[in-house]
Amino acid sequence: MSNTFRDLLKKVGSGNHTGENLTREEAATATRMMLLGEATPAQIGAFLIAHRIKRPTGEELAGMLDAYDQLGPKLASISSVRPVMVLGIPYDGRTRTAPISPIITLLLATAGQPVVMHGGDRLPTKYGLPLVEIWQGLGVDWTGLKLEKTQQVLEKTGIGFVYTPQNFPLTQSIWEYRDQLGKRPPFATMELIWCPYAGNAHIVAGFVHPPTEAMFQDALARRGVTKFTTVKGLEGSCDLPRDRTAIIGLLTPATSNEIERLHLVPREYGFTSKNVPLGTTVELVGDMQAVLKGIPSEVMDTALWNGGFYLWRSGICSDMAAGIAKAKELLATGAVAAKLQEVTQIVQSLHSPVYNSRLLTIDN
């Protein structure tokens, strides 16, 4: 048993009247001790549920991110005229609405905006559809790539995906606790603003509850982040909803230290108020492939709605209308499909000879 960790547990688990928030340094220490297994299973389980009940502070999230920086992977800085956009999307996936972020990632990279994603497999508590399975359906398997190979893909194509089971295995034990507890601990909040990229980055984080956005702002400010975007997105993701006004927070160095609030109404841009429901993975991948061919559909409208926003937010287009038009053009001309083919070929070439031999056997 760790007496040091026990003292930290007592601070967060002593209830409303005597409990205390952790300092940034204490939160970093607690996170390191959990990831490294220096605390006992009983201590870790108790801490995770107590911290959830107490609710984390921005300072605590900053400390947790400090520990991730110390122990976790970082893609090296690449040459880019724009900050690399890092999409913070819930690791436990989607269960109700169709994700569109892989298509948006391809679209942005086609237009010259590099993107980094991160995540793992089907994970608790939702065990929803993860990003890595969508990419596999599109022909891109990130699961076998170590960080140095992912770095090569990012440098060549403008897209990178940090697959945590391969590149940050210390986090796997936390997922076991999360499954047993049946609740999302503060790690699930922190992951949304984690940045596994060492260069100039533009963090985009999805959220559900307004207090979470305030925690993001506090944590990132403490870490010196001066540009980020928050999206009250579908199932806590970065995907803009179509069934309601999209609520977005913008912070850029040129404005102020306060979040600028943006409200986007889909019908004002010609889109119906309807989210695309999530069917099977095969159906979703088929719908995405149709989008890459420029075929009109509800999924295409979702791609244009989101693509227009992110092309504008990245500075590629002057406004939403221009962004939507640009997205439509890139999809219609096959440029985004060509980007997917480029990424697929490079990723396959970087896999082991055994993997490539298996692909060849399957193709034949």
Side-chain angles (χ1 to χ4, degrees), residues 179-223:
D179 185 34
Q180 294 172 27
L181 294 173
K183 292 292 183 180
R184 293 162 54 93
F187 274 105
T189 303
M190 180 271 297
E191 288 159 353
L192 299 174
I193 51 174
W194 178 47
C195 181
Y197 175 72
N200 187 18
H202 175 179
I203 297 173
V204 182
F207 72 96
V208 175
H209 306 295
T212 302
E213 184 185 37
M215 282 190 287
F216 287 167
Q217 183 179 9
D218 185 17
L220 294 174
R222 292 173 184 273
R223 287 174 52 82

Side-chain angles (χ1 to χ4, degrees), residues 93-363:
R94 299 274 279 274
T95 58
R96 303 188 305 275
T97 54
I100 201 63
S101 52
I103 296 294
I104 302 308
T105 297
L106 290 165
L107 179 65
L108 288 171
T110 303
Q113 170 61 64
V115 181
V116 167
M117 308 178 91
H118 49 95
D121 301 308
R122 289 186 180 259
L123 296 168
T125 55
K126 287 167 60 177
Y127 287 103
L129 177 63
L131 294 171
V132 69
E133 286 190 21
I134 303 172
W135 280 109
Q136 286 172 327
L138 293 171
V140 183
D141 187 0
W142 299 100
T143 62
L145 297 187
K146 293 185 177 180
L147 196 68
E148 58 269 21
K149 292 186 176 181
T150 302
Q151 180 76 39
Q152 294 179 48
V153 183
L154 176 62
E155 291 173 351
K156 292 177 180 178
T157 71
I159 297 176
F161 189 104
V162 177
Y163 178 64
T164 54
Q166 171 76 31
N167 295 294
F168 199 2
L170 288 177
T171 61
Q172 291 303 100
S173 63
I174 300 300
W175 288 103
E176 295 174 9
Y177 287 102
R178 186 160 154 177
D179 185 34
Q180 294 172 27
L181 294 173
K183 292 292 183 180
R184 293 162 54 93
F187 274 105
T189 303
M190 180 271 297
E191 288 159 353
L192 299 174
I193 51 174
W194 178 47
C195 181
Y197 175 72
N200 187 18
H202 175 179
I203 297 173
V204 182
F207 72 96
V208 175
H209 306 295
T212 302
E213 184 185 37
M215 282 190 287
F216 287 167
Q217 183 179 9
D218 185 17
L220 294 174
R222 292 173 184 273
R223 287 174 52 82
V225 176
T226 57
K227 181 173 183 177
F228 64 86
T229 301
T230 58
V231 178
K232 187 173 173 57
L234 293 175
E235 299 184 58
S237 73
C238 300
D239 291 359
L240 274 62
R242 286 173 52 195
D243 63 340
R244 55 178 168 82
T245 298
I247 301 173
I248 298 163
L250 311 174
L251 184 70
T252 58
T255 56
S256 69
N257 292 327
E258 297 298 321
I259 287 180
E260 176 188 352
R261 183 62 63 213
L262 177 65
H263 296 91
L264 295 176
V265 182
R267 65 176 178 273
E268 293 180 357
Y269 295 89
F271 298 107
T272 59
S273 298
K274 179 181 179 182
N275 295 323
V276 179
L278 177 62
T280 66
T281 305
V282 172
E283 290 170 341
L284 175 65
V285 170
D287 289 339
M288 287 186 168
Q289 289 171 336
V291 169
L292 293 171
K293 294 176 182 177
I295 299 173
S297 67
E298 289 293 335
V299 178
M300 171 65 86
D301 284 352
T302 298
L304 296 177
W305 173 232
N306 281 269
F309 168 72
Y310 283 106
L311 286 170
W312 166 72
R313 180 57 175 150
S314 65
I316 293 171
C317 295
S318 59
D319 54 34
M320 275 289 294
I324 293 169
K326 182 69 172 178
K328 184 177 296 186
E329 173 195 340
L330 292 173
L331 289 166
T333 59
V336 183
K339 174 60 71 173
L340 173 60
Q341 184 177 15
E342 176 193 9
V343 176
T344 301
Q345 292 175 345
I346 291 174
V347 169
Q348 288 183 359
S349 72
L350 291 172
H351 275 288
S352 67
V354 173
Y355 178 91
N356 286 322
S357 297
R358 188 169 71 250
L359 281 180
L360 184 61
T361 300
I362 292 172
D363 290 341

